[in-house]
Amino acid sequence: MTGQEPQSGPPAFRRGFLAPRYWPTWLGIGLLHLLSFLGHRPRRALARGLARLYRRVNPRRADIVRRNLELCFPEESAGTRENWVERYFGLHFLALLDLGRIRRARRGELTRQTEVVGQDVLDRLRREPGVILTVHSVGLEWAAAMLAETVEGSTIYKPFADNPVIDWWFGSMRTRHGTEALPRDRGMGPHLRALRRGRSFFYIADEDLGPEHSVFAPFFGVEKATLPLAGKLAAAARRPVYPVIGQLDERTGRYRLRFLEPVELPASADREAATAINGVIEELVRDDPVQLMWSLKYFKTRPPGEVDRYRR
């Protein structure tokens, strides 16, 4: 057989993962496990300290967050946006420290610990599967794990090519309740078939994946490369689209899933569809802007002739 077989999902554990070069990774995993037993206040204090340190050693990433907020919220004062930068990094690191909690939680535990805004929508999702349209938020991992406890489905994952131990750890965390996680190069076919069989599809719709298959559409008034597939996929499977965002309350340490009412998106793959998707994402984000993962380069891909939005 020639060529490389497409990867079917996250790797299974193998003895090679115990090699010395992975010991630092295992140390980090062990620390996350130990931190999961700490109360919220010490975890929050540690997260704030790590956030301040990270901003000092990696000012470029803070500049990306600052630039994204400047582009998307020009009406806000510089002081407000700077406060959002600080809050974002605090939330981001708190969510990272919570990964150990997610990994060791028993089935049903995350559901009991999560506040749901739009419980009637979640109840409908459990009865009537569909496309779960979400974004890269600080509460993404918690939201995905919590939904997997009661909603059968599939999702796309990006392998950690340089560290198979992390790939295995995240993959097993995301699939242990039956969610089927497939790499992006498998395409949408398996997810469409799963939708037709009565499983939901957890679709993260906000990332800039480059010009191929994307179209430009306004996102907070700025042209953004957008993959306009959610409506087309839902129409092909005759399933609804459920917008949701995972949020984290830094004060209490509790996570919240905020559902919008199901939406009908254009079934085309054009600017109209991309604009509709971005509009839904904007509605999810505006409720509490610091929850979005602003450290991503949302405007990395530019229309022909436009300058790099992140060049200073």
Side-chain angles (χ1 to χ4, degrees):
M1 183 180 296
T2 60
Q4 186 176 6
E5 288 293 317
Q7 191 171 340
S8 59
F13 180 85
R14 56 180 187 267
R15 290 185 62 184
F17 291 172
L18 301 177
R21 63 177 172 148
Y22 297 125
W23 288 356
T25 301
W26 285 112
L27 176 61
I29 290 173
L31 287 173
L32 286 175
H33 181 72
L34 291 175
L35 287 168
S36 71
F37 294 96
L38 279 181
H40 168 61
R41 287 186 178 181
R43 278 203 317 276
R44 181 179 62 185
L46 178 58
R48 288 174 175 175
L50 290 172
R52 287 192 294 269
L53 176 62
Y54 182 81
R55 289 173 63 189
R56 283 199 293 269
V57 301
N58 195 351
R60 176 59 180 154
R61 188 59 58 179
D63 285 343
I64 291 171
V65 175
R66 202 171 283 115
R67 181 59 172 155
N68 280 332
L69 292 172
E70 180 184 10
L71 289 168
C72 294
F73 297 95
E75 72 279 6
E76 298 292 345
S77 68
T80 295
R81 293 196 299 266
E82 195 59 33
N83 176 262
W84 286 356
V85 173
E86 182 177 353
R87 285 184 58 207
Y88 163 74
F89 279 107
L91 285 170
H92 180 69
F93 276 92
L94 182 57
L96 287 176
L97 296 182
D98 279 342
L99 290 174
R101 295 175 62 200
I102 299 171
R103 187 66 168 77
R104 73 174 179 85
R106 296 187 178 127
R107 193 181 196 114
E109 190 174 335
L110 300 182
T111 298
R112 290 190 297 272
Q113 295 177 9
T114 304
E115 175 191 354
V116 176
V117 179
Q119 182 65 50
D120 58 328
V121 180
L122 176 56
D123 292 341
R124 176 181 169 183
L125 169 61
R126 288 168 175 162
R127 296 189 310 267
E128 185 182 354
V131 177
I132 303 170
L133 191 153
T134 191
V135 296
H136 286 88
S137 68
V138 295
L140 175 62
E141 290 292 342
W142 184 286
M146 176 270 190
L147 285 172
E149 291 181 342
T150 56
V151 177
E152 292 186 349
S154 66
T155 190
I156 297 170
Y157 88 103
K158 181 179 180 180
F160 294 85
D162 297 331
N163 195 320
V165 174
I166 296 180
D167 197 8
W168 163 80
W169 192 77
F170 270 97
S172 58
M173 178 174 70
R174 293 165 177 169
T175 60
R176 64 196 174 116
H177 294 312
T179 298
E180 185 179 21
L182 298 174
R184 188 174 289 122
D185 60 11
R186 291 290 302 275
M188 289 294 175
H191 305 291
L192 176 58
R193 290 190 290 272
L195 277 166
R196 287 171 171 166
R197 292 197 308 268
R199 293 168 65 90
S200 289
F201 174 42
F202 196 80
Y203 181 47
I204 307 170
D206 59 320
E207 193 172 2
D208 181 345
L209 296 175
E212 189 177 5
H213 306 305
S214 296
V215 298
F216 286 99
F219 180 61
F220 287 100
V222 183
E223 292 294 304
K224 175 186 175 299
T226 305
L227 206 60
L229 292 181
K232 185 176 182 180
L233 196 64
R238 297 182 179 178
R239 297 290 183 185
V241 177
Y242 298 92
V244 64
I245 186 170
Q247 300 174 324
L248 171 57
D249 186 330
E250 187 187 24
R251 185 181 63 84
T252 64
R254 286 182 60 84
Y255 285 82
R256 176 173 56 253
L257 259 67
R258 179 173 173 263
F259 283 90
L260 303 181
E261 289 296 319
V263 296
E264 184 174 343
L265 298 172
S268 54
D270 54 14
R271 182 178 173 86
E272 179 190 7
T275 301
I277 291 171
N278 286 346
V280 172
I281 294 173
E282 287 182 28
E283 187 174 354
L284 288 170
V285 171
R286 286 189 186 278
D287 179 67
D288 188 5
V290 298
Q291 301 287 337
L292 190 66
M293 201 169 291
W294 293 108
S295 49
L296 296 177
K297 287 188 174 182
Y298 283 110
F299 307 106
K300 176 177 61 177
T301 304
R302 304 309 312 139
E306 280 201 14
V307 298
D308 183 351
R309 291 286 190 174
Y310 300 99
R311 183 182 300 167
R312 291 293 192 179

